[in-house]
Amino acid sequence: MSRLGCLIAAAVAILFPTGYGIYGKLHDDRLSTTMERVKRSMPAEAAVRLLGRPSWRAGCGSRFPYSFASDCSTEIVYASSFAPLNPLYWVVEVDRQNRVISAELIGSP
């Protein structure tokens, strides 16, 4: 490999993880800040407009072994940019009327 090729490979090896780390930190910080604006009883789609596209939607308890609210029908989940290495998930629980019941940050201890 030429010297220029080695320099390019080294630059990519350094810049890509650094760039992803910065992006991930900004993404996770934005989710934490925006999650504070999600309030009980607001329409679920209003919460999604605030938070952006979720990582997944599923029935309550289908991915996590517990639910914060007994009348939960759907979980809207936003995973950390570094999950599962950093297992942080912002979870919005929604009732059958499509209203927010709770908005919580959960993670592994």
Side-chain angles (χ1 to χ4, degrees), residues 4 48 84 94:
L4 179 60
V48 171
V94 179

Side-chain angles (χ1 to χ4, degrees), residues 14-99:
I14 293 169
L15 293 177
F16 179 76
T18 302
Y20 187 78
I22 292 168
Y23 161 80
K25 173 84 169 98
L26 292 172
H27 171 266
D28 290 359
D29 288 349
R30 183 192 65 78
L31 275 175
S32 288
T33 301
T34 307
M35 186 65 95
E36 294 172 5
R37 296 173 49 201
V38 175
K39 303 296 181 199
R40 185 174 174 81
S41 309
M42 77 185 307
E45 291 314 310
V48 171
R49 278 194 300 278
L50 283 172
L51 296 166
R53 188 176 67 185
S55 301
W56 69 82
R57 290 180 191 230
C60 292
S62 64
R63 294 244 185 142
F64 299 108
Y66 57 87
S67 177
F68 298 109
S70 61
D71 55 342
C72 179
S73 69
T74 304
E75 290 176 340
I76 303 170
V77 181
Y78 297 83
S80 166
S81 294
F82 308 108
L85 295 175
N86 183 19
L88 292 176
Y89 301 90
W90 290 265
V91 180
V92 177
E93 291 187 324
V94 179
D95 65 15
R96 287 180 181 20
Q97 288 74 41
N98 212 27
R99 298 274 181 191

